[in-house]
Amino acid sequence: MSRAWVDALKQRRRETGSIAPLTQTKFRRRVLDGQDDRLAALIAARPDATLTELRDALRTSVGLATIWRAINQLELTLKKMPMSGSSPAKE
């Protein structure tokens, strides 16, 4: 038991008159909730699409990390395609 925890408990009792635990915070729902099928279809159609292209196709402004987590939760993979002209020329 830490001193800080005891101090916080005393403060809670002063403010509320109780030392009962606070209610648990409710978490937000997933931002891309309900778009799993659409995301899977986009990846199936273009497995080499970038995260930015997927975000634009979904018409959303979520972060790229959110798109990546959604893909990861669906256990899908994106395929890397070589860029044209990026390989060294053979002589």
Side-chain angles (χ1 to χ4, degrees), residues 5-78:
W5 182 80
V6 172
D7 289 342
L9 200 59
K10 288 172 28 180
Q11 181 179 357
R12 186 182 317 156
R13 175 139 188 208
R14 277 192 308 270
E15 292 173 357
T16 66
S18 172
I19 59 170
L22 300 174
T23 58
Q24 185 174 0
T25 304
K26 292 195 177 200
F27 296 98
R28 297 183 320 162
R29 65 178 180 84
R30 288 180 41 217
V31 177
L32 293 176
D33 199 24
Q35 295 193 39
D36 295 343
D37 294 336
R38 190 163 170 222
L39 182 59
L42 287 170
I43 293 172
R46 288 203 41 221
D48 62 333
T50 65
L51 294 175
T52 304
E53 291 170 343
L54 291 173
R55 178 176 57 187
D56 294 342
L58 289 171
R59 294 187 187 111
T60 184
S61 62
V62 299
L64 297 180
T66 301
I67 302 281
W68 182 254
R69 279 192 298 273
I71 292 169
N72 195 30
Q73 286 176 345
L74 292 172
E75 297 180 354
L76 299 173
T77 58
L78 296 175

